[in-house]
Amino acid sequence: MTFYPIKKSLLFCLMLLCCKAIAQIPDSVKTEPKEDNIKYPQLQIKGLFQARYLVGMTKDVDVNGLHHADGSGTDNNFMIKYMRVQMRAQISKRTEVVVLANLADFKNDPKSRVLENAYLKYTFNPKLAITVGQFRPWFGIEETYPIDIIKSLDWSNQYTEFGKLGWTSFQIGLSATGQLELGEIPFQYAVSVVNGNGKNQVNDNDNGKQYSTRLVFGLAKKYNLNLGLNGGIGDVFSKKVYAVGIDLSSLIHFDPKWSLDMQLEAKQATNHPLYFAVDPELRPENPDEYLIRGAYFLPNLRYEINHKNLSAFELSCRYEYLDTNFRLNSNPRQTITPMFGLEFLKNYGARIQLGMQFDRYKHQVENTSQYNNNLFIVQVQSRF
């Protein structure tokens, strides 16, 4: 039994809701500044440097989490994670072009890695903007902010896996986004269609596309409480796939110095790469027999010091649960990542973090990455 028609109908209804809301809310009357004195294009260059020192604290497990029964492997490592350079060109009042490259990826095969963002965005008004090119389609909390202001060590395991499925991370396609109000409720939306086979690809690897929608409702302005609903359907090698998700985020200011940022997110989707990795004669007809499910909770406590040499410190502890094949061959991974960070310049301009990453699997498998692991991390970053 397949639920694809129901999922497709629900996604179509969400798209219609977005379009109807936009049509029913008239444009607000604003006095636009004269463009006579503005010269285009306006260029803006930004960057991020991020480096780490890693120490594996588990015998026979390297810094990448891979178990070596023969005792080989590297248990400590200096590495450059990001050396990003971004250029943003505002070529008219409504049109911008953005390019983002991670030069640190030259250490790997750069063919499908270095170029990250490469898109054109045209903004009709705050209610509607069209983005085309290579970008990060909105499908959860993590897609809405960059790596340089992340509250933990790195993206969640869930985000990484859903990137492999084509729903998150950098994808090639088209997206419509906007913000408006439903009565007194602030509302944001994103509707995207992408190839779904990752960044820097010459062609789509099949004739199918992946369609996704994200809706965000502002529930309580005092606590910056937002509810996000995510849904997606698609075709991969003539097989129907889907993804769904829900998330909550909140930012509570106790006083001018103390604040608590909280994120809770859960997702489920067809694990089609795992499905197509199975021999054709052994595969079930329905790829939804191979399902991935994950959730994480990330609280982050921040104290504003505002000293001339130290701006703030942060304490966070992310808990993650991820099972990449919970229906047929369940082996859930639980990860706890406590982090302590010191911010030396405003807006994460310079930051150092210390922490641990604890990975636990229900079943340990020798000579694979499905093995219990403890990792110590020191991370430094500067954004400019």
Side-chain angles (χ1 to χ4, degrees):
M1 180 178 181
T2 178
F3 294 93
Y4 175 69
I6 298 176
K7 298 167 191 166
K8 188 172 183 179
S9 300
L10 288 174
L11 184 63
F12 183 69
C13 291
L14 291 175
M15 292 180 180
L16 288 179
L17 173 63
C18 295
C19 296
K20 183 176 179 182
I22 295 170
Q24 289 180 343
I25 298 179
D27 291 335
S28 58
V29 179
K30 293 183 179 179
T31 303
E32 298 291 346
K34 293 183 178 181
E35 292 189 85
D36 298 341
N37 298 325
I38 301 178
K39 295 182 179 181
Y40 295 103
Q42 294 182 324
L43 300 179
Q44 182 184 62
I45 297 177
K46 294 183 178 181
L48 168 70
F49 171 80
Q50 189 181 91
R52 298 174 178 174
Y53 177 64
L54 309 172
V55 179
M57 309 295 289
T58 304
K59 184 181 179 182
D60 298 334
V61 179
D62 66 21
V63 292
N64 296 313
L66 179 63
H67 177 255
H68 299 263
D70 59 1
S72 63
T74 302
D75 61 7
N76 69 92
N77 184 40
F78 287 102
M79 68 174 295
I80 299 175
K81 181 68 174 178
Y82 292 102
M83 183 59 246
R84 276 180 165 172
V85 178
Q86 174 180 290
M87 185 179 72
R88 176 179 177 268
Q90 189 77 33
I91 60 177
S92 74
K93 177 183 176 182
R94 301 181 184 276
T95 310
E96 63 177 299
V97 177
V98 176
V99 176
L100 174 65
N102 181 19
L103 304 183
D105 271 339
F106 276 112
K107 64 181 180 289
N108 303 300
D109 181 2
K111 182 171 59 176
S112 62
R113 287 178 174 269
V114 177
L115 184 64
E116 296 185 332
N117 274 333
Y119 64 81
L120 180 146
K121 182 177 181 180
Y122 186 85
T123 303
F124 293 91
N125 52 53
K127 303 179 184 66
L128 177 62
I130 302 295
T131 302
V132 60
Q134 183 168 289
F135 56 92
R136 295 166 63 200
W138 284 9
F139 199 81
I141 301 174
E142 292 177 285
E143 288 79 1
T144 61
Y145 56 79
I147 182 66
D148 42 330
I149 61 171
I150 202 166
K151 307 299 182 181
S152 188
L153 170 67
D154 209 335
W155 306 114
S156 67
N157 300 324
Q158 175 184 264
Y159 176 85
T160 303
E161 292 299 323
F162 272 69
K164 298 175 184 177
L165 304 179
W167 301 111
T168 63
S169 192
F170 300 98
Q171 305 292 334
I172 301 174
L174 181 145
S175 180
T177 58
Q179 52 187 351
L180 39 92
E181 291 187 359
L182 296 177
E184 297 182 354
I185 300 178
F187 171 74
Q188 293 179 299
Y189 74 92
V191 180
S192 305
V193 53
V194 298
N195 289 336
N197 60 327
K199 60 184 179 180
N200 302 330
Q201 303 298 322
V202 177
N203 292 310
D204 193 0
N205 57 358
D206 66 350
N207 287 322
K209 294 293 181 285
Q210 292 178 218
Y211 305 85
S212 63
T213 299
R214 174 168 173 78
L215 309 175
V216 182
F217 303 88
L219 301 183
K221 185 176 181 180
K222 180 180 179 181
Y223 303 108
N224 296 287
L225 179 63
N226 296 307
L227 169 67
L229 302 176
N230 312 283
I233 55 174
D235 292 275
V236 178
F237 296 110
S238 301
K239 293 292 185 179
K240 308 302 181 183
V241 299
Y242 82 95
V244 293
I246 184 170
D247 53 79
L248 284 169
S249 62
S250 177
L251 176 59
I252 303 173
H253 292 278
F254 300 108
D255 58 39
K257 291 185 176 293
W258 287 98
S259 62
L260 178 63
D261 185 351
M262 293 181 289
Q263 300 172 7
L264 175 64
E265 186 168 7
K267 291 178 182 174
Q268 178 173 303
T270 309
N271 194 338
H272 51 271
L274 190 60
Y275 171 79
F276 287 110
V278 178
D279 291 336
E281 60 271 14
L282 299 178
R283 294 177 197 156
E285 180 64 24
N286 186 1
D288 286 349
E289 291 296 314
Y290 291 79
L291 292 177
I292 180 173
R293 176 183 291 171
Y296 75 85
F297 175 59
L298 173 59
N300 182 76
L301 183 65
R302 179 180 175 88
Y303 179 73
E304 302 283 351
I305 298 175
N306 295 323
H307 188 269
K308 62 179 181 180
N309 295 321
L310 183 63
S311 296
F313 74 79
E314 294 183 331
L315 288 170
S316 70
C317 186
R318 181 171 63 196
Y319 169 79
E320 303 180 60
Y321 176 93
L322 181 69
D323 196 337
T324 57
N325 190 14
F326 70 86
R327 182 168 284 180
L328 292 181
N329 187 22
S330 178
N331 189 17
R333 172 187 181 182
Q334 298 184 73
T335 304
I336 299 176
T337 311
M339 298 293 293
F340 171 71
L342 295 172
E343 181 182 325
F344 298 98
L345 297 175
K346 293 287 188 180
N347 299 319
Y348 298 103
R351 181 168 65 160
I352 183 170
Q353 293 174 285
L354 294 88
M356 292 286 297
Q357 179 174 294
F358 304 97
D359 280 313
R360 295 294 181 268
Y361 288 88
K362 185 176 181 180
H363 309 291
Q364 298 188 79
V365 183
E366 290 190 349
N367 297 314
T368 72
S369 58
Q370 296 185 16
Y371 207 88
N372 293 347
N373 179 33
N374 301 326
L375 185 67
F376 173 74
I377 310 109
V378 180
Q379 179 169 283
V380 296
Q381 79 167 43
S382 177
R383 60 195 302 233
F384 54 91

Short mmCIF file of all heavy atoms in Angstrom, two decimals, residues 58-82:
data_model
loop_
_atom_site.label_atom_id
_atom_site.label_comp_id
_atom_site.label_asym_id
_atom_site.label_seq_id
_atom_site.Cartn_x
_atom_site.Cartn_y
_atom_site.Cartn_z
N THR A 58 38.92 6.54 22.03
CA THR A 58 38.53 5.14 22.06
C THR A 58 39.56 4.30 21.33
O THR A 58 39.95 4.63 20.20
CB THR A 58 37.14 4.93 21.41
OG1 THR A 58 36.19 5.77 22.07
CG2 THR A 58 36.69 3.49 21.53
N LYS A 59 40.00 3.23 21.94
CA LYS A 59 41.03 2.38 21.35
C LYS A 59 40.58 1.82 20.01
O LYS A 59 39.45 1.34 19.87
CB LYS A 59 41.37 1.24 22.32
CG LYS A 59 42.51 0.35 21.84
CD LYS A 59 42.79 -0.77 22.83
CE LYS A 59 43.91 -1.67 22.31
NZ LYS A 59 44.18 -2.79 23.24
N ASP A 60 41.49 1.87 19.03
CA ASP A 60 41.30 1.30 17.69
C ASP A 60 40.22 2.00 16.87
O ASP A 60 39.80 1.46 15.84
CB ASP A 60 40.95 -0.20 17.78
CG ASP A 60 42.05 -1.03 18.43
OD1 ASP A 60 43.22 -0.60 18.37
OD2 ASP A 60 41.73 -2.08 19.00
N VAL A 61 39.79 3.18 17.29
CA VAL A 61 38.82 3.98 16.51
C VAL A 61 39.51 5.28 16.11
O VAL A 61 40.03 6.00 16.98
CB VAL A 61 37.54 4.26 17.30
CG1 VAL A 61 36.58 5.10 16.46
CG2 VAL A 61 36.87 2.96 17.71
N ASP A 62 39.54 5.58 14.81
CA ASP A 62 40.24 6.77 14.35
C ASP A 62 39.39 8.02 14.55
O ASP A 62 38.24 7.96 15.04
CB ASP A 62 40.69 6.62 12.89
CG ASP A 62 39.54 6.55 11.89
OD1 ASP A 62 38.42 7.00 12.22
OD2 ASP A 62 39.76 6.05 10.77
N VAL A 63 39.94 9.18 14.17
CA VAL A 63 39.27 10.44 14.43
C VAL A 63 38.01 10.62 13.58
O VAL A 63 37.20 11.50 13.85
CB VAL A 63 40.21 11.64 14.19
CG1 VAL A 63 41.31 11.66 15.24
CG2 VAL A 63 40.79 11.60 12.78
N ASN A 64 37.84 9.79 12.56
CA ASN A 64 36.63 9.84 11.73
C ASN A 64 35.57 8.85 12.19
O ASN A 64 34.54 8.69 11.54
CB ASN A 64 36.98 9.57 10.26
CG ASN A 64 37.89 10.65 9.70
OD1 ASN A 64 37.64 11.83 9.87
ND2 ASN A 64 38.96 10.22 9.03
N GLY A 65 35.83 8.15 13.29
CA GLY A 65 34.85 7.21 13.84
C GLY A 65 34.92 5.82 13.26
O GLY A 65 34.06 4.99 13.56
N LEU A 66 35.94 5.52 12.45
CA LEU A 66 36.07 4.21 11.82
C LEU A 66 36.89 3.28 12.70
O LEU A 66 37.99 3.62 13.14
CB LEU A 66 36.73 4.35 10.45
CG LEU A 66 36.96 3.06 9.65
CD1 LEU A 66 35.62 2.39 9.32
CD2 LEU A 66 37.75 3.35 8.37
N HIS A 67 36.35 2.09 12.95
CA HIS A 67 37.03 1.11 13.79
C HIS A 67 38.06 0.34 12.96
O HIS A 67 37.82 -0.03 11.80
CB HIS A 67 36.03 0.13 14.40
CG HIS A 67 36.66 -0.96 15.21
ND1 HIS A 67 36.78 -2.25 14.76
CD2 HIS A 67 37.24 -0.92 16.44
CE1 HIS A 67 37.38 -2.98 15.69
NE2 HIS A 67 37.67 -2.20 16.71
N HIS A 68 39.25 0.09 13.56
CA HIS A 68 40.32 -0.67 12.92
C HIS A 68 40.69 -1.82 13.85
O HIS A 68 41.33 -1.62 14.88
CB HIS A 68 41.55 0.21 12.67
CG HIS A 68 41.29 1.37 11.77
ND1 HIS A 68 41.57 1.36 10.42
CD2 HIS A 68 40.76 2.60 12.04
CE1 HIS A 68 41.23 2.53 9.89
NE2 HIS A 68 40.75 3.31 10.86
N ALA A 69 40.30 -3.04 13.47
CA ALA A 69 40.59 -4.19 14.32
C ALA A 69 42.08 -4.46 14.43
O ALA A 69 42.54 -5.04 15.42
CB ALA A 69 39.87 -5.42 13.77
N ASP A 70 42.86 -4.03 13.43
CA ASP A 70 44.30 -4.27 13.46
C ASP A 70 45.07 -3.18 14.20
O ASP A 70 46.31 -3.20 14.24
CB ASP A 70 44.85 -4.41 12.04
CG ASP A 70 44.59 -3.17 11.19
OD1 ASP A 70 44.00 -2.20 11.71
OD2 ASP A 70 44.95 -3.18 9.99
N GLY A 71 44.37 -2.23 14.77
CA GLY A 71 45.03 -1.18 15.54
C GLY A 71 45.57 -0.03 14.73
O GLY A 71 46.18 0.89 15.29
N SER A 72 45.39 -0.04 13.42
CA SER A 72 45.85 1.07 12.59
C SER A 72 44.85 2.22 12.69
O SER A 72 43.82 2.13 13.35
CB SER A 72 46.01 0.61 11.14
OG SER A 72 44.75 0.21 10.61
N GLY A 73 45.14 3.29 11.99
CA GLY A 73 44.24 4.45 12.04
C GLY A 73 44.87 5.58 12.83
O GLY A 73 45.74 5.38 13.68
N THR A 74 44.42 6.79 12.53
CA THR A 74 44.95 8.00 13.16
C THR A 74 44.02 8.44 14.28
O THR A 74 42.83 8.67 14.04
CB THR A 74 45.08 9.13 12.11
OG1 THR A 74 45.91 8.69 11.04
CG2 THR A 74 45.64 10.39 12.74
N ASP A 75 44.58 8.58 15.49
CA ASP A 75 43.73 8.95 16.62
C ASP A 75 43.89 10.41 17.03
O ASP A 75 43.31 10.83 18.04
CB ASP A 75 43.96 8.04 17.81
CG ASP A 75 45.40 8.11 18.33
OD1 ASP A 75 46.17 8.96 17.86
OD2 ASP A 75 45.73 7.31 19.22
N ASN A 76 44.68 11.22 16.29
CA ASN A 76 44.72 12.66 16.55
C ASN A 76 45.05 13.36 15.23
O ASN A 76 45.78 12.82 14.39
CB ASN A 76 45.73 13.00 17.65
CG ASN A 76 47.16 12.78 17.21
OD1 ASN A 76 47.82 13.68 16.71
ND2 ASN A 76 47.66 11.54 17.39
N ASN A 77 44.52 14.57 15.08
CA ASN A 77 44.65 15.20 13.76
C ASN A 77 44.36 16.70 13.85
O ASN A 77 43.40 17.12 14.50
CB ASN A 77 43.65 14.56 12.79
CG ASN A 77 43.79 15.09 11.38
OD1 ASN A 77 44.90 15.31 10.90
ND2 ASN A 77 42.67 15.31 10.72
N PHE A 78 45.20 17.50 13.19
CA PHE A 78 44.89 18.89 12.90
C PHE A 78 44.21 18.93 11.53
O PHE A 78 44.68 18.25 10.60
CB PHE A 78 46.15 19.76 12.85
CG PHE A 78 46.76 20.03 14.19
CD1 PHE A 78 47.88 19.34 14.62
CD2 PHE A 78 46.22 21.00 15.04
CE1 PHE A 78 48.46 19.60 15.84
CE2 PHE A 78 46.78 21.27 16.27
CZ PHE A 78 47.90 20.57 16.69
N MET A 79 43.18 19.71 11.38
CA MET A 79 42.50 19.79 10.09
C MET A 79 41.89 21.17 9.89
O MET A 79 41.54 21.86 10.85
CB MET A 79 41.40 18.73 9.97
CG MET A 79 40.21 18.94 10.88
SD MET A 79 38.86 17.77 10.59
CE MET A 79 38.34 18.22 8.94
N ILE A 80 41.81 21.55 8.62
CA ILE A 80 41.07 22.76 8.22
C ILE A 80 39.73 22.31 7.69
O ILE A 80 39.66 21.62 6.67
CB ILE A 80 41.85 23.57 7.16
CG1 ILE A 80 43.19 24.03 7.72
CG2 ILE A 80 41.03 24.78 6.72
CD1 ILE A 80 44.06 24.73 6.69
N LYS A 81 38.68 22.69 8.38
CA LYS A 81 37.34 22.29 7.99
C LYS A 81 36.76 23.21 6.91
O LYS A 81 36.19 22.76 5.93
CB LYS A 81 36.43 22.29 9.22
CG LYS A 81 34.99 21.87 8.96
CD LYS A 81 34.87 20.41 8.58
CE LYS A 81 33.41 20.00 8.47
NZ LYS A 81 33.28 18.58 8.06
N TYR A 82 36.90 24.53 7.12
CA TYR A 82 36.36 25.50 6.16
C TYR A 82 37.35 26.63 5.92
O TYR A 82 37.98 27.12 6.84
CB TYR A 82 35.05 26.11 6.68
CG TYR A 82 33.89 25.15 6.76
CD1 TYR A 82 33.50 24.59 7.97
CD2 TYR A 82 33.18 24.80 5.62
CE1 TYR A 82 32.45 23.71 8.05
CE2 TYR A 82 32.12 23.91 5.69
CZ TYR A 82 31.76 23.38 6.90
OH TYR A 82 30.71 22.50 6.98
#
